[in-house]
Amino acid sequence: MAATASLQSRGYLPIATASLCPAAVLDCDLFIQRPGCPYAELYRGSTYPLEVADIEKLRADGVDHLFIRAENADAYRDYLCKYVLKDKNVAPAVRMQALREATRVAFQDALTASNCDRMVSVAAQFGGDLAAVVAERSVAFRELFTPLEHDYYTFAHVCNVSVYCTVLANRLGTTDAASLGEFAAAALLHDIGKRHIPAQILNKPGKLNDDEWELIREHPTTGFREVATREDLTWAQLMVIYQHHERLDGSGYPCGVPTEEIHPWAKICAVADVFDALTCHRPYRGPMPRKEVCDYLDKHAGKWFDAEAVACWTSHVRSGV
């Protein structure tokens, strides 16, 4: 993990070898990181497609990631759209992993540049692609956690929440890919207000003081205000951003509204958000076991969290189906 992070800081993007198709030209150079080596070396030039034997050897050697230069992220996304994301012969978990990796750089660049137009555009594309995979209803819960990262950093968290929201909404009966895509995009954007919070507060290893906690509590309002007048986001999507920390009994924030005023998508996002937050590594604690988090959600179902959403989610997480 540390070696991969080091390569990313040098401008390389990890891509799953499982997402590479034999005989298909990726149109950018592929790099490999040998064991114990801090650098990436050229593995295959852009004009030379991988053969079946290459991919089988990578798998046999335990190489689950190769690397491309970060500036080639768009080329990788084009490749995924053409050969991977719509190919039902590729496992859903692999397609979701590839989609996350292709989206990461564009989304984080947009965050860094505070480019709201770009963030919304990237989220819409991600949402549509994710929904197409989830709508097949072939994603087993035991596979769901494999392609996701479980460190509580901006993109990893919102990406996990987006996947959870989309799968949960699908299991609750939403089968329309367009609606699932809108929800997935909204969930990817749900924490956009947090980018205005200083990193030392977001990553503080100890307990927040009252002033720091108030800054944290402002992020739904900050994010909502930033995008509220956009014509390319629906009211439902705006409510995911604004209401994902509201609780059914009115004890949530930013407004403390009761259950009848909370949008159904925000109720689902609240479950997904808490589940990911508690099962991830945080600056001040390690991850909680999924069973304990399911117990926590069950305990507060009907009071803080939507009972139907919690029952659906925890039952599937526990059974792994």
Side-chain angles (χ1 to χ4, degrees), residues 185-197:
L188 196 70
L189 296 169
H190 80 278
D191 268 347
I192 59 170
K194 278 189 175 178
R195 74 184 195 282
H196 301 293
I197 301 172

Side-chain angles (χ1 to χ4, degrees), residues 87-88 90-97 133-134 136 138-140 143 147:
D87 185 352
K88 295 185 179 181
V90 178
V94 171
R95 281 183 278 165
M96 286 195 292
Q97 181 180 26
V133 177
V134 171
E136 298 171 13
S138 56
V139 182
E143 300 174 346

Side-chain angles (χ1 to χ4, degrees), residues 7-8 16 18 27 44 62 77 96 136 140 167 171 203 206 220 227 233 235 242 265 280 282 285 296:
L7 280 182
Q8 288 183 256
D27 202 27
R44 188 60 55 91
R77 167 169 279 283
M96 286 195 292
E136 298 171 13
V167 172
R171 296 298 171 96
N203 300 320
V227 297
L233 292 174
W235 182 250
Y242 193 43
W265 283 5
C280 282
R282 302 294 294 274
R285 61 153 175 81
Y296 173 84

Side-chain angles (χ1 to χ4, degrees), residues 18-42:
S19 71
L20 298 172
C21 300
V25 176
L26 178 54
D27 202 27
C28 60
D29 294 339
L30 288 170
F31 297 84
I32 191 170
Q33 185 177 33
R34 304 293 182 184
C37 179
Y39 303 104
E41 62 182 65
L42 182 65

